[in-house]
């Protein structure tokens, strides 16, 4: 499996770091390589098509750049990534990512529920500002990376994205939240590119084989992420440090290499 460790079934997702806005900021990187099609609501590389990598970058609370796509592209280049990819962004703690796996389907989630929201909320009495004021901003984004190691048609891929979103909502309700998510949530689902050797699965709903597996993986990861986010908020923000140190970097945040640290 391209982008996976030798002998391991899970992809390799490393953690990088950079100095930005006076503090060390972390990011998760999956170098998937060729042979993957992705659908995403991400600000960089969103839509559907061939993609070779995914970045989930943590930014400061009160982030107010109006060109997040350009910012994410810069971060990807700094990580040595080339070609088309997907860039996600969050002010939530990416170090405390959670994951779920079911029958080969994987979900890796970063969770911040600072602004719990119902999707069909009534319109606000006054227009919301385009950029929240830092004094009023509370980090809140749930980013989901979902991986299915099988070819799926475009229609099935879109269906998988909908299934992942349904599972996220179920997980939030099961974790005790009265919301469907936050206003800035993003999802990326990756499947193998059809190669002529295996027929592409046309289905991705919650009762299809891959949809059911992916839903359970997403549900597991989001439930755990929601509980962890609640505990983090009760404890207050962690003390920041200005520049990356050795412990900021990790060769793989998933179990196959979670204890293998990179050196500066």
């Amino acid at each position: 499996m391209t982008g996976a460790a030798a002998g391991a079934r899970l992809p390799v997702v490393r953690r990088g770091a950079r100095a930005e806005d006076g503090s060390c900021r972390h990011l998760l990187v999956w170098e998937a390589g060729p042979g993957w099609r992705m659908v995403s609501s991400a600000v960089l590389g969103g839509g559907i098509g061939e993609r070779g990598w995914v970045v989930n970058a943590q930014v400061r609370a009160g982030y107010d750049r109006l060109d997040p796509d350009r910012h994410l592209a810069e971060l990807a280049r700094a990580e040595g990534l080339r070609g088309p990819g997907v860039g996600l962004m969050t002010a939530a703690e990416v170090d405390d990512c959670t994951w779920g796996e079911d029958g080969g389907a994987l979900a890796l989630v970063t969770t911040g529920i600072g602004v719990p929201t119902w999707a069909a909320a009534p319109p606000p009495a006054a227009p919301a500002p385009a950029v929240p004021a830092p004094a009023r901003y509370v980090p809140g984004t749930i980013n989901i990376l979902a991986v299915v190691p099988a070819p799926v048609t475009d229609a099935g891929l879109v269906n998988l994205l909908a299934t992942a979103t349904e599972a996220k909502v179920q997980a939030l309700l099961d974790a005790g939240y009265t919301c469907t998510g936050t206003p800035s949530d993003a999802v990326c689902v990756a499947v193998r590119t059809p190669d002529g050797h295996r027929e592409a699965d046309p289905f991705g709903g919650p009762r299809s084989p891959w949809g059911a597996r992916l839903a359970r993986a997403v549900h597991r990861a989001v439930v755990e992420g929601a509980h962890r986010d609640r505990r983090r908020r009760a404890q207050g923000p962690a003390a920041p440090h200005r520049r990356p140190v050795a412990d900021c970097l990790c060769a793989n945040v998933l179990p196959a290499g979670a204890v293998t640290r990179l050196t500066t």
Side-chain angles (χ1 to χ4, degrees):
M1 178 177 174
T2 303
R9 198 165 58 168
L10 299 179
V12 171
V13 179
R14 62 182 168 86
R15 186 174 68 230
R18 82 279 184 193
E20 184 177 280
D21 296 323
S23 293
C24 178
R25 310 287 178 194
H26 294 177
L27 68 166
L28 304 179
V29 180
W30 178 38
E31 296 185 60
W36 292 92
R37 288 183 64 75
M38 302 185 191
V39 62
S40 180
S41 60
V43 67
L44 175 67
I48 188 168
E50 298 282 329
R51 305 284 188 268
W53 49 265
V54 179
V55 167
N56 187 4
Q58 184 174 350
V59 296
R60 65 179 178 85
Y63 181 86
D64 57 0
R65 281 186 61 161
L66 300 181
D67 59 345
D69 54 339
R70 180 176 178 180
H71 185 190
L72 284 163
E74 293 168 353
L75 295 178
R77 285 194 295 272
E79 291 293 321
L81 304 174
R82 298 293 182 267
V86 172
L88 309 166
M89 186 174 283
T90 181
E93 182 62 65
V94 301
D95 285 21
D96 205 11
C97 59
T98 55
W99 66 281
E101 190 270 343
D102 191 290
L106 170 77
L108 181 68
V109 177
T110 56
T111 307
I113 315 176
V115 188
T117 302
W118 289 111
V131 178
R136 294 187 290 111
Y137 184 82
V138 181
T141 297
I142 302 169
N143 283 343
I144 299 173
L145 167 61
V147 181
V148 168
V152 179
T153 65
D154 283 358
L157 181 52
V158 173
N159 208 346
L160 284 172
L161 185 142
T163 296
T165 303
E166 291 179 34
K168 177 197 73 172
V169 175
Q170 181 182 342
L172 290 171
L173 297 176
D174 288 346
Y177 285 89
T178 53
C179 66
T180 52
T182 84
S184 52
D185 290 354
V187 185
C188 175
V189 180
V191 299
R192 299 299 289 180
T193 301
D195 57 9
H197 298 295
R198 289 187 293 173
E199 185 176 353
D201 195 327
F203 304 113
R207 294 287 72 84
S208 69
W210 282 113
R213 296 168 192 160
L214 185 61
R216 289 189 290 267
V218 170
H219 181 271
R220 188 172 300 124
V222 174
V223 166
E224 183 179 354
H227 288 314
R228 289 190 187 184
D229 182 67
R230 185 182 284 119
R231 291 194 294 268
R232 285 197 305 270
R233 292 179 188 280
Q235 295 167 359
H241 54 280
R242 294 184 63 84
R243 292 180 177 82
V245 297
D247 282 348
C248 295
L249 308 177
C250 180
N252 190 4
V253 300
L254 293 170
V259 298
T260 303
R261 299 285 179 175
L262 300 175
T263 57
T264 53

